[in-house]
Amino acid sequence: MSTDSELPGIFYPGLEGVISNETAITNLEGRKGDGDLEYRGYRIEDLADHVSYEEAAYLLLHGELPNVSQLSDFDSRLRTQRAVPVELIELLRKIPKSAHGMDVLRTSLSVISHYDSEVNASPTDHAANVRKAERIVAKTATAVAARERLLAGLEPVAPDATLDHAANFLYMYNGTKPSESMAKAFDLSLVLYAEHELNASTFAARVTVSTLSDIYSGIVAAVGTLKGSLHGGANEEAWKVLVEVGSPDQAEDWIQDALVKKKRIMGFGHRVYKTGDPRARILKDWCQKLAKEIGDDRWEKIAEPIEREVTIQKKLPPNVDWPTARLYHYMGLKTEVYTPIFALARVAGWAAHIIEQLDSNRLMRPRARYTGPANRPIKPIDQRG
Ligand code: ACO
């Protein structure tokens, strides 16, 4: 942080510590301070134990946990809006297989927006924004699964209206219904990924709609922002760490080498949580449970010493992306779909923030400190070097 007398503000690199707006959606201070997380006043540990992704998404979008009939109506709205435009499927067939999954998701959401008759309704129409948000939550999972099927040389699987959001995604991805424990673990990961205050992608979404742009534009900006390896892309990178280490007996050497070379170890550290990410603590138990279920604890044995040494030696505890990399591997999900899965969960949080921003909007327009040259005379073009 430094002050600059000529600018009406203070320079905080990376905006660290800057409060840019108020929110009633997520609290990272909570009751215990650092390491806490609440969605609309409910502790993440309680949400993890008691609510489905649908309930969490309803809470984020509508402000309260649903009662039985509210959940039933919401759930049925999601189930009936899961189909994506056939034009999107046709386009997905033509997109190069080499394209990154997050780039394809960005395109997919743009295409879906063209078929939403309310896309350019008044950006401050709260009810229309909630309707669009529900459609986005319902369709994003279908778009991600369809792309993955086509990438694998298979036909997309139509959504199954008898399955809940998590189980339906795994069904559309694999073509077979998941086991109860796989569906439960996946649902839990979606609950934990659904929202996280003013992270980079949510901030990008809020900045975008603060110009009175539309909800889809905000979501597309957020998808592009989540892709980076310092943010959502870290779950794919965390898996690559485990693969690079390769076996439990290589873990100690790998970590010492990484520490000496000051490598950035993906899945560790967090801008806000300095003593631990509660989502990582919750998912660690589930990783161990699923590893036992599939009868392969190799990745747990590799992960454990890395986690211990990075936490002790670098004072960097794991973040949510460290356990999800293993969790999704145990579910048979390919690495390239890890970050798109993060996105299909986070659309609920992004949409909630977009709606909150538009309900009480002020254009976001910070200042920059100029560091370039000044007062330069313009030379005629034939005299420029
Ligand atoms: N591995 C090694 N060193 C690290 C790590 C890491 N994962 N994270 C931070 N550091 C070190 C930096 O090298 C730097 O050291 P230095 O001062 O000696 O140069 C110091 O800690 C501060 O690093 P910053 O990047 O400035 O800290 P910031 O608070 O911005 O870090 C971040 C947050 C970007 C998440 C960082 O911890 C990181 O890069 N982690 C790995 C990527 C990752 O897992 N991202 C997912 C975050 S959670 C999410 O988005 C869902």
Side-chain angles (χ1 to χ4, degrees):
M1 179 191 86
S2 63
T3 55
D4 188 324
S5 56
E6 286 150 39
L7 276 175
I10 300 172
F11 174 36
Y12 292 90
L15 300 183
E16 183 165 7
V18 171
I19 313 288
S20 74
N21 52 268
E22 295 183 317
T23 183
I25 301 169
T26 287
N27 187 3
L28 295 186
E29 305 305 318
R31 290 155 222 189
K32 298 188 301 251
D34 181 55
D36 218 351
L37 167 59
E38 293 176 355
Y39 297 170
R40 297 203 185 270
Y42 296 103
R43 292 174 68 237
I44 197 67
E45 290 83 355
D46 294 336
L47 293 167
D49 280 346
H50 299 292
V51 309
S52 63
Y53 178 72
E54 285 85 337
E55 288 171 274
Y58 185 97
L59 173 67
L60 294 168
L61 295 176
H62 294 270
E64 294 293 344
L65 282 172
N67 62 27
V68 172
S69 78
Q70 286 166 334
L71 179 60
S72 164
D73 290 349
F74 177 69
D75 196 14
S76 97
R77 287 199 297 279
L78 291 186
R79 288 177 198 228
T80 53
Q81 297 189 100
R82 282 175 180 163
V84 295
V86 63
E87 290 82 356
L88 172 61
I89 303 293
E90 292 314 310
L91 179 66
L92 289 176
R93 292 184 195 284
K94 295 176 188 148
I95 289 178
K97 286 196 169 184
S98 57
H100 191 286
M102 290 297 277
D103 297 345
V104 177
L105 179 57
R106 199 187 56 211
T107 301
S108 299
L109 284 158
S110 272
V111 172
I112 289 170
S113 79
H114 305 321
Y115 296 88
D116 188 325
S117 60
E118 292 193 290
V119 60
N120 288 319
S122 164
T124 53
D125 181 337
H126 179 95
N129 283 337
V130 173
R131 286 194 297 274
K132 284 181 270 187
E134 291 186 357
R135 290 198 277 274
I136 290 168
V137 170
K139 292 181 197 305
T140 305
T142 313
V144 171
R147 154 72 177 175
E148 287 304 309
R149 297 286 295 178
L150 292 166
L151 207 52
L154 300 164
E155 274 305 296
V157 173
D160 182 337
T162 67
L163 298 173
D164 66 25
H165 199 71
N168 176 57
F169 174 79
L170 294 174
Y171 168 69
M172 291 189 297
Y173 179 92
N174 286 316
T176 52
K177 292 182 184 173
S179 72
E180 209 174 299
S181 59
M182 292 290 171
K184 169 68 196 136
F186 190 66
D187 180 73
L188 173 66
S189 76
L190 299 187
V191 171
L192 300 179
Y193 264 150
E195 162 54 15
H196 208 239
E197 202 224 33
L198 215 55
N199 53 83
S201 55
T202 303
F203 185 55
R206 289 191 78 129
V207 170
T208 302
V209 300
S210 81
T211 66
L212 295 185
S213 186
D214 70 287
I215 186 168
Y216 282 95
S217 298
I219 299 278
V220 167
V223 170
T225 311
L226 186 72
K227 175 187 172 191
S229 62
L230 295 185
H231 192 8
N235 58 10
E236 296 181 17
E237 298 302 319
W239 177 250
K240 290 178 195 162
V241 167
L242 295 167
V243 172
E244 194 182 315
V245 176
S247 73
D249 56 354
Q250 296 295 316
E252 292 285 352
D253 286 349
W254 187 93
I255 192 65
Q256 292 317 327
D257 183 59
L259 293 175
V260 169
K261 290 182 177 151
K262 290 186 176 290
K263 270 193 193 166
R264 196 162 282 247
I265 305 163
M266 296 308 183
F268 288 87
H270 198 275
R271 174 62 67 80
V272 179
Y273 296 135
K274 296 304 176 193
T275 56
D277 181 334
R279 302 166 297 177
R281 286 194 286 267
I282 295 167
L283 284 176
K284 187 174 177 179
D285 289 346
W286 275 89
C287 285
Q288 290 166 347
K289 193 175 146 111
L290 290 199
K292 206 168 164 193
E293 190 174 314
I294 64 166
D296 179 6
D297 66 355
R298 169 181 164 205
W299 303 105
E300 295 307 299
K301 284 188 170 149
I302 296 175
E304 190 56 40
I306 299 174
E307 189 173 320
R308 187 183 61 239
E309 294 307 317
V310 180
T311 306
I312 294 171
Q313 298 197 40
K314 292 284 291 185
K315 305 267 177 297
L316 290 171
N319 60 53
V320 63
D321 291 325
W322 180 245
T324 43
R326 274 141 49 221
L327 195 81
Y328 291 161
H329 173 75
Y330 301 147
M331 290 176 188
L333 297 163
K334 293 205 173 113
T335 319
E336 79 249 359
V337 78
Y338 289 7
T339 316
I341 289 172
F342 187 156
L344 73 87
R346 183 57 62 86
V347 284
W350 288 332
H353 276 273
I354 287 170
I355 293 167
E356 186 180 66
Q357 179 70 35
L358 288 167
D359 282 348
S360 174
N361 188 50
R362 182 141 199 253
L363 174 71
M364 296 222 203
R365 204 301 185 191
R367 292 293 311 277
R369 175 195 284 169
Y370 180 67
T371 58
N375 297 326
R376 304 171 90 187
I378 297 180
K379 290 183 188 163
I381 194 161
D382 58 350
Q383 292 173 28
R384 294 176 206 159

